[in-house]
Amino acid sequence: MDFSAVKALTFDVFGTVVDWRTSIAREVDAFARSHGLGLDGHAFADAWRSLYQPSMEEVRSGARPWTRLDDLHRESLLTLLDRFGVTGIPEEEIDRLNRAWHRLDPWPDVVEGLTRLKSKFVIATLSNGNVALMVNMAKRAGLPWDAILGAEVARAYKPQPRAYEAAAELLGLAPAQCMMVAAHNADLHAAAKSGLRTAFVARPTEHGPGQTRDLAVEPGIELAADSFTDLADKLGC
């Protein structure tokens, strides 16, 4: 398949670039130890993530005005602390735990792969994470983005078309000159509907050892890779 027209790669981040589940579990376990709580970090991480799409859907549906992901995450965290029976935590410590999403670790292949891909393409985030979250994550993890784009910039949460279209516009490119890279087939199908090219990178343990979805690329996605370094190989970087 000919990808010679592609000038930019736009990346989903949570799950594709960073291992959110392991990272959040680590932070929750540390939080639990410091407060003498019997929380299971992985169970808490899964519960927190389960509120991710429902919280954004309230914004996508127009039920509430634009709200950045940091604020949605904090609302979800308060819900979970109550559900898990955790009380009496100072506000500043709740804020620190909420910012665990700013401190997610990349998958092992990511920094090398992004560095190689950057030698040939513009590389940018196209995440539902807000700008401060993406910047802080990149600074900590050494992610060499050329631009931070996505939901907050577009004022639209994926999979709304505007999220994808705005990224191409801001890069001064046609959608077909951008390739969306993600570990989630649904994200890629939505990007394709907006005219972007598509590449699937498998992350079979994003949701833990029992993951059942997004284990393989689906029909209609143009390129599949096992890692960012494999993607770099396939795109000639």
Side-chain angles (χ1 to χ4, degrees), residues 120-138:
K120 183 174 180 179
F121 303 97
V122 171
I123 60 170
T125 66
L126 207 174
S127 171
N128 283 328
N130 49 286
V131 173
L133 190 164
M134 289 292 113
V135 168
N136 292 338
M137 181 194 295

Side-chain angles (χ1 to χ4, degrees), residues 180-204:
M180 184 71 197
V181 181
H184 312 116
N185 286 286
D187 195 356
L188 295 170
H189 289 310
K193 288 179 181 178
S194 289
L196 279 68
R197 310 297 295 273
T198 51
F200 176 85
V201 177
R203 300 297 187 198

Side-chain angles (χ1 to χ4, degrees), residues 13 58-59 62 67 79 96 126 128 136 147 176-177 181-182 209:
V13 175
E58 291 187 7
V59 178
T67 307
T79 296
R96 172 167 174 75
L126 207 174
N128 283 328
N136 292 338
Q177 293 177 295
V181 181

Side-chain angles (χ1 to χ4, degrees), residues 27-40:
E27 298 261 356
V28 170
D29 284 339
F31 171 82
R33 285 193 300 270
S34 70
H35 292 283
L37 302 170
L39 298 176
D40 180 309

Side-chain angles (χ1 to χ4, degrees), residues 37-232:
L37 302 170
L39 298 176
D40 180 309
H42 285 96
F44 197 97
D46 290 338
W48 203 349
R49 186 66 171 177
S50 74
L51 299 178
Y52 174 69
Q53 288 293 345
S55 67
M56 289 187 297
E57 187 56 32
E58 291 187 7
V59 178
R60 286 190 291 247
S61 70
R64 64 183 298 180
W66 172 258
T67 307
R68 64 180 185 165
L69 189 61
D70 269 346
D71 297 326
L72 297 177
H73 271 157
R74 196 178 193 282
E75 291 173 9
S76 296
L77 175 57
L78 292 175
T79 296
L80 289 178
L81 290 174
D82 181 66
R83 182 186 301 174
F84 281 79
V86 178
T87 60
I89 306 298
E91 289 293 312
E92 60 270 21
E93 294 190 41
I94 292 174
D95 287 339
R96 172 167 174 75
L97 181 57
N98 190 53
R99 287 172 66 86
W101 293 95
H102 295 225
R103 300 187 293 272
L104 306 181
D105 295 335
W107 298 104
D109 57 279
V110 162
V111 174
E112 178 188 349
L114 286 179
T115 301
R116 287 175 56 190
L117 291 163
K118 184 184 173 82
S119 70
K120 183 174 180 179
F121 303 97
V122 171
I123 60 170
T125 66
L126 207 174
S127 171
N128 283 328
N130 49 286
V131 173
L133 190 164
M134 289 292 113
V135 168
N136 292 338
M137 181 194 295
K139 195 73 171 176
R140 176 183 176 276
L143 306 176
W145 304 121
D146 291 308
I148 302 293
L149 303 175
E152 187 174 24
V153 178
R155 286 294 195 271
Y157 280 119
K158 297 186 297 179
Q160 290 178 303
R162 184 62 193 157
Y164 306 99
E165 294 161 2
E169 290 172 12
L170 289 164
L171 293 173
L173 299 172
Q177 293 177 295
C178 301
M179 174 178 279
M180 184 71 197
V181 181
H184 312 116
N185 286 286
D187 195 356
L188 295 170
H189 289 310
K193 288 179 181 178
S194 289
L196 279 68
R197 310 297 295 273
T198 51
F200 176 85
V201 177
R203 300 297 187 198
T205 61
E206 175 191 353
H207 295 278
Q211 181 166 322
T212 58
R213 63 181 183 273
D214 291 317
L215 296 175
V217 67
E218 293 178 354
I221 309 304
E222 297 176 280
L223 182 62
D226 295 328
S227 65
F228 280 13
T229 48
D230 184 35
L231 181 64

